[in-house]
Amino acid sequence: MTEPAVDTASSLAARTITPVELPRHRWGRHDAPARALVVHGLGSNGPSTWRICAALADRGWLVEAVDLRGHGVAPRALDYRVEAYAADLLATRPTPVPGVGHAAWDLVVGHSLGGAATAVAAAADPRWAAAVVLLDPAIALDDHDAEIIRASQEAAFADNTIASVRAKNPEWHPLDVEIKVQAVSEASRWAIEQTSEQNHPWDVRPAAAALRNPTFVIASDPEVYSLFRGALAAEVLANRQVSLTIVQGAGHNVHRDRPAETTKAIGDWAELQLEQRSRRET
């Protein structure tokens, strides 16, 4: 039996916001049997998730990554609450393919801000995605983390060059460096600032507690830097639908810092969810 949408404050807010249409970037065959949506973090864009998208496509998935509102070439708006980002995601459905029924995503992967918005969307409507992966998600930010994020975004806009990004992230693939520069140049600085301003305090723990579908958190290494750690992680993991792995040596941009480990963890877990769902349906 299909579960009803969860009646939480976050889900109600998501339903009353007028969504914008998000631009899509696609990897994989259009007749692929499984569909995934990938959602980037603050100050990035859809192409920045290319390692995840390409890895899933190599496993036979059709993958679509979006530019969030105020980012990339997506429409600009006045509302940059996490609930507004989630409303846009709820309005984003798999591209129809003749003869293949896909009313819902088989998998949604969200990083940081994208992880928070994905959690809110999935809690608001469990039918939107069968399974969810959250990459070091911004579920709740204390003042210290909020200030780190604000300062990082300011620094990115102040010195948006290949040399600067490479110096800060020497282990990144050259494409990640190039795309980071592109993403910052395309993003609305005002939108980035408002995302911090309009979400103070930043806290979507009620949505994380309300998740009803299998959810896999891939966190970065707290010894490097992670938003998903300590008491917050323990609280979220109290939801039995949520499981966790930590990628050793990775910072917050886990998919850029340790792409091989991250994409393997996503792919292996996603395929397991497909297998388990198939067994339940037969």
Side-chain angles (χ1 to χ4, degrees):
M1 184 173 68
T2 302
E3 290 188 272
V6 177
D7 189 15
T8 65
S10 292
S11 68
L12 289 174
R15 292 177 193 152
T16 59
I17 296 165
T18 301
V20 302
E21 183 175 354
L22 303 179
R24 305 187 188 205
H25 311 268
R26 295 187 180 92
W27 288 255
R29 293 170 52 109
H30 283 257
D31 60 350
R35 306 299 180 86
L37 174 67
V38 183
V39 188
H40 65 80
L42 185 67
S44 292
N45 59 9
S48 71
T49 64
W50 68 278
R51 292 294 285 264
I52 300 168
C53 300
L56 284 172
D58 287 345
R59 288 177 179 246
W61 293 66
L62 175 61
V63 190
E64 301 191 58
V66 290
D67 293 341
L68 292 172
R69 60 170 57 201
H71 296 71
V73 295
R76 275 36 178 168
L78 294 175
D79 191 346
Y80 289 98
R81 291 173 295 162
V82 174
E83 290 82 4
Y85 286 109
D88 297 341
L89 294 179
L90 283 174
T92 304
R93 301 283 172 162
T95 301
V97 175
V100 180
H102 272 93
W105 297 101
D106 297 296
L107 175 72
V108 177
V109 180
H111 172 243
S112 194
L113 162 65
T118 294
V120 172
D125 185 359
R127 298 160 295 191
W128 172 66
V132 169
V133 173
L134 306 178
L135 303 179
D136 208 44
I139 300 299
L141 302 180
D142 59 24
D143 289 342
H144 174 72
D145 286 329
E147 176 57 26
I148 287 176
I149 291 170
R150 186 198 63 77
S152 174
Q153 295 300 327
E154 283 190 357
F157 282 106
D159 187 9
N160 186 34
T161 63
I162 292 287
S164 175
V165 175
R166 184 183 294 119
K168 293 174 184 175
N169 307 282
E171 295 184 1
W172 283 13
H173 191 284
L175 281 177
D176 285 318
V177 174
E178 293 174 12
I179 294 170
K180 178 60 178 177
V181 173
Q182 175 198 36
V184 172
S185 67
E186 289 180 342
S188 162
R189 184 167 189 164
W190 186 84
I192 304 303
E193 292 170 349
Q194 287 300 303
T195 300
S196 293
E197 291 290 331
Q198 294 180 24
N199 292 288
H200 185 74
W202 185 302
D203 190 351
V204 300
R205 285 177 295 174
L211 290 166
R212 294 294 175 264
N213 291 332
T215 301
F216 185 34
V217 177
I218 301 178
S220 55
D221 189 339
E223 294 298 320
V224 181
Y225 182 71
S226 177
L227 293 181
F228 195 83
R229 64 186 189 274
L232 169 64
E235 181 178 346
V236 174
L237 290 169
N239 182 338
R240 294 185 179 181
Q241 293 293 336
V242 183
S243 58
L244 169 70
T245 191
I246 296 173
V247 180
Q248 299 297 321
H252 176 58
N253 289 288
V254 60
H255 55 303
R256 294 165 170 147
D257 291 353
R258 295 291 184 271
E261 296 94 323
T262 302
T263 56
K264 184 179 188 305
I266 294 171
D268 289 351
W269 185 84
E271 289 183 352
L272 177 62
Q273 301 312 306
L274 287 178
E275 292 171 6
Q276 292 177 344
R277 194 173 72 186
S278 177
R279 286 199 295 268
R280 289 194 299 269
E281 292 174 351
T282 56

